[in-house]
Amino acid sequence: MRWAADVAPMAVLLLDDAGGLHYANASARRLAARLDESLDEREGLHALLALANDTDWELACAQGHSRRDIDVRPGFTLAVEPFCGMGDNAGLRFLALTDISLRSARERELQQRHDELERAYRSLAGAQEQLLQSEKMASIGQLAAGVAHEINNPIGYVHSNIGTLREYMGALFGMLETYSSALAAPDPLIYRNDVRAQREKLDIDFILGDLPQLLDESREGIERVTRIVQDLKEFSHVGRNETMRPADLLKGLESTLNIVWNDLKYKVKLEKIYGDMPPVECLPSEINQVFMNLLINAGQAIAERGTITLACGTENGEAWVSVADTGCGIPEDALGRIFDPFFTTKPIGRGTGLGLAICYRIVEKHHGHIEVQSTVGQGTTFRVVLPVTQPADARVAAV
Ligand SMILES: Nc1ncnc2c1ncn2[C@@H]1O[C@H](COP(=O)(O)OP(=O)(O)OP(=O)(O)O)[C@@H](O)[C@H]1O
Ligand SMILES: [Mg+2]
């Protein structure tokens, strides 16, 4: 029995009834020497015994065994395990000590690797977020030219209307002048024909008819610019600190449509089949980005003339929005890859292949999914399906 204890790799210290040291195996004696070289063997063994404190023994007596890892000094870690006999063995106690320095060094190394991986993962996630943001900025840049044109047009005619209004004002002031000098004469009626002639010369009747129209047109132009600016603002609302909130998806779809409309209007007929739509809990600026990417793709799929059909509705407690086009369609072998980052069939400079990858990521983050149906030569339908309310933990994660 003693032989078995002496060849065992772990240190074993047997206690007597009073809690004193009754027996120590060979491993315990070697470990005592390593613990503190300045102590003699007896003192060293007692120092080993003292590593287990009262709590360790209380736990061991309650459960039969307890364990605590102690960093004795850097690079030297011991697993300290008191055992208390139970049943027939009640009253017997021993302490086992195992050198786990190597194991804990490995654990530390693993922990370090884990921390490094976690840091790398975080920075990747950050990079992905940046990519998303820069794709959004790039698409806004791409649209800016179109939007500038859209704004330029009304501004152009409001400007020209102001020029005309100025001319009209000159004529009206001239007419007023004629009236007041006639009125200042002792017998104004003498000037009746002059006034009439002047009124004809200055085209006052035409001016009076044209004025309200000019003003209406100018107001409309300015309202259009205001709307475009508002849509742009809503669309580009930076969503970094945005939290998930119930939002009107159709409003987002319409604003986004207004922004991309300039690129589509010459070749696309638009149809809308809108069903009931409850507010959907989401990050509105990100969902707008999804709509924009789908709308741009649909427009690009139509070579000359075609129809884009926007539809929405609810099904099984989920909300869906679809963008369907009568464009070129997607071949079977490409269908499985369209959501891959950088998969594009468009010429260099036209597409980076990120649009759908970003849509996928955003929709996944919203616990939804995207469905696609396509027939080459007939067209493609993308359907975005989102839960109306997000799971509770998602709200926190989205902050
Ligand atoms: N509505 C669609 N009709 C036909 N093909 C489509 C449609 N939408 C996407 N695709 C195909 O999927 C590919 C990937 O689309 P995605 O939006 O990810 O990238 P992209 O449009 O090529 O480039 P980016 O969106 O970055 O400008 C497209 O190149 C195209 O081949
Ligand atoms: Mg695209």
Side-chain angles (χ1 to χ4, degrees), residues 293 296-297 300 346 355-356:
N293 289 344
I296 290 178
N297 280 349
Q300 288 172 342
K346 291 168 193 171
L356 285 177

PDB file of all heavy atoms in Angstrom, residues 293 296-297 300 346 355-356, ligand 2:
ATOM      1  N   ASN A 293     -30.537  48.844 -52.766  1.00  0.00           N
ATOM      2  CA  ASN A 293     -29.750  47.883 -53.537  1.00  0.00           C
ATOM      3  C   ASN A 293     -30.646  47.046 -54.450  1.00  0.00           C
ATOM      4  O   ASN A 293     -30.294  46.770 -55.592  1.00  0.00           O
ATOM      5  CB  ASN A 293     -28.943  46.981 -52.603  1.00  0.00           C
ATOM      6  CG  ASN A 293     -27.802  47.736 -51.945  1.00  0.00           C
ATOM      7  OD1 ASN A 293     -27.437  48.821 -52.388  1.00  0.00           O
ATOM      8  ND2 ASN A 293     -27.245  47.186 -50.885  1.00  0.00           N
ATOM      9  N   ILE A 296     -31.904  49.294 -57.371  1.00  0.00           N
ATOM     10  CA  ILE A 296     -30.849  49.563 -58.360  1.00  0.00           C
ATOM     11  C   ILE A 296     -30.599  48.315 -59.204  1.00  0.00           C
ATOM     12  O   ILE A 296     -30.504  48.383 -60.429  1.00  0.00           O
ATOM     13  CB  ILE A 296     -29.548  50.029 -57.660  1.00  0.00           C
ATOM     14  CG1 ILE A 296     -29.764  51.431 -57.080  1.00  0.00           C
ATOM     15  CG2 ILE A 296     -28.379  50.039 -58.633  1.00  0.00           C
ATOM     16  CD1 ILE A 296     -28.570  51.981 -56.335  1.00  0.00           C
ATOM     17  N   ASN A 297     -30.522  47.151 -58.547  1.00  0.00           N
ATOM     18  CA  ASN A 297     -30.327  45.906 -59.305  1.00  0.00           C
ATOM     19  C   ASN A 297     -31.462  45.689 -60.307  1.00  0.00           C
ATOM     20  O   ASN A 297     -31.232  45.305 -61.448  1.00  0.00           O
ATOM     21  CB  ASN A 297     -30.282  44.703 -58.356  1.00  0.00           C
ATOM     22  CG  ASN A 297     -28.913  44.560 -57.689  1.00  0.00           C
ATOM     23  OD1 ASN A 297     -27.960  45.218 -58.067  1.00  0.00           O
ATOM     24  ND2 ASN A 297     -28.852  43.706 -56.682  1.00  0.00           N
ATOM     25  N   GLN A 300     -31.005  47.946 -63.155  1.00  0.00           N
ATOM     26  CA  GLN A 300     -29.886  47.543 -64.010  1.00  0.00           C
ATOM     27  C   GLN A 300     -30.193  46.288 -64.819  1.00  0.00           C
ATOM     28  O   GLN A 300     -29.598  46.055 -65.864  1.00  0.00           O
ATOM     29  CB  GLN A 300     -28.630  47.327 -63.152  1.00  0.00           C
ATOM     30  CG  GLN A 300     -28.044  48.650 -62.639  1.00  0.00           C
ATOM     31  CD  GLN A 300     -26.910  48.465 -61.638  1.00  0.00           C
ATOM     32  OE1 GLN A 300     -26.753  47.386 -61.062  1.00  0.00           O
ATOM     33  NE2 GLN A 300     -26.135  49.521 -61.421  1.00  0.00           N
ATOM     34  N   LYS A 346     -21.481  42.274 -63.582  1.00  0.00           N
ATOM     35  CA  LYS A 346     -21.480  43.582 -64.231  1.00  0.00           C
ATOM     36  C   LYS A 346     -20.058  44.006 -64.579  1.00  0.00           C
ATOM     37  O   LYS A 346     -19.115  43.579 -63.918  1.00  0.00           O
ATOM     38  CB  LYS A 346     -22.152  44.605 -63.311  1.00  0.00           C
ATOM     39  CG  LYS A 346     -23.629  44.292 -63.213  1.00  0.00           C
ATOM     40  CD  LYS A 346     -24.364  45.024 -62.132  1.00  0.00           C
ATOM     41  CE  LYS A 346     -25.728  44.367 -61.958  1.00  0.00           C
ATOM     42  NZ  LYS A 346     -26.456  44.843 -60.809  1.00  0.00           N
ATOM     43  N   GLY A 355     -23.688  44.623 -53.234  1.00  0.00           N
ATOM     44  CA  GLY A 355     -25.070  45.028 -52.948  1.00  0.00           C
ATOM     45  C   GLY A 355     -25.876  43.958 -52.230  1.00  0.00           C
ATOM     46  O   GLY A 355     -26.396  44.185 -51.128  1.00  0.00           O
ATOM     47  N   LEU A 356     -25.945  42.769 -52.819  1.00  0.00           N
ATOM     48  CA  LEU A 356     -26.789  41.719 -52.233  1.00  0.00           C
ATOM     49  C   LEU A 356     -26.157  41.130 -50.969  1.00  0.00           C
ATOM     50  O   LEU A 356     -26.868  40.720 -50.047  1.00  0.00           O
ATOM     51  CB  LEU A 356     -27.062  40.622 -53.255  1.00  0.00           C
ATOM     52  CG  LEU A 356     -28.074  40.995 -54.344  1.00  0.00           C
ATOM     53  CD1 LEU A 356     -28.220  39.855 -55.342  1.00  0.00           C
ATOM     54  CD2 LEU A 356     -29.432  41.333 -53.741  1.00  0.00           C
TER      55      LEU A 356
HETATM   56 MG    MG B   2     -26.208  45.629 -56.968  1.00  0.00          MG
END
